[in-house]
Amino acid sequence: MDRKRAEALARLAALAAMKREAELAKLAAVAQSRARLQGALQALKAVEAPLDPAEAVSDPALVGARLAHRRWSEAQSRRLNQQLAMVTVDWMRQKPAAAKAFGRAAVLEGLAGKAEAALKAENAKGE
């Protein structure tokens, strides 16, 4: 293996590593958004307390407030679910690109390592 080819493989491996890091960073950002939206949905579901029948009889204003809160909560839930669906689509679109970049970088790093080892072995024989 000649020196130029080993250097070219090393440069390609470095470029592939940069591309891998960029794709993984994009995927991580989308995954964080996805996790944040899922957390917000869980928090919204956890806040809703069931209405006690005794409260319904004793305080009609409380029932009205609870119903208004439930309507607001359902609207928020719909909005968050729509956003989560869009972010999940982005995540699903970016996942193959990140996997491809990860695979390319791994292969090129392996090839560059083998080329460097072969070059060192040739240099050792020549000395």
Side-chain angles (χ1 to χ4, degrees):
M1 167 120 359
D2 64 345
R3 186 84 179 142
K4 284 186 179 184
R5 187 170 178 176
E7 289 173 355
L9 280 172
R11 284 192 306 272
L12 282 174
L15 286 172
M18 286 190 289
K19 177 71 172 171
R20 175 190 60 209
E21 296 305 318
E23 291 295 334
L24 289 177
K26 286 194 289 188
L27 188 63
V30 172
Q32 284 177 344
S33 294
R34 192 170 173 239
R36 182 186 53 80
L37 288 168
Q38 288 171 336
L41 276 169
Q42 291 301 322
L44 196 59
K45 289 177 185 175
V47 170
E48 187 64 36
L51 184 62
D52 184 20
E55 290 176 339
V57 173
S58 67
D59 193 359
L62 180 62
V63 173
R66 288 272 181 106
L67 289 174
H69 180 265
R70 179 167 286 163
R71 283 191 299 270
W72 173 84
S73 177
E74 288 172 353
Q76 292 301 312
S77 181
R78 277 192 302 275
R79 183 184 60 80
L80 289 171
N81 275 321
Q82 289 171 346
Q83 289 176 347
L84 181 60
M86 290 187 298
V87 168
T88 299
V89 167
D90 285 344
W91 181 76
M92 291 172 70
R93 284 184 186 149
Q94 290 181 6
K95 192 174 176 184
K100 189 175 183 179
F102 189 85
R104 279 185 179 162
V107 168
L108 283 169
E109 286 170 1
L111 288 174
K114 286 180 184 179
E116 188 65 31
L119 193 57
K120 285 181 182 180
E122 286 178 15
N123 288 341
K125 284 181 186 178
E127 290 177 1

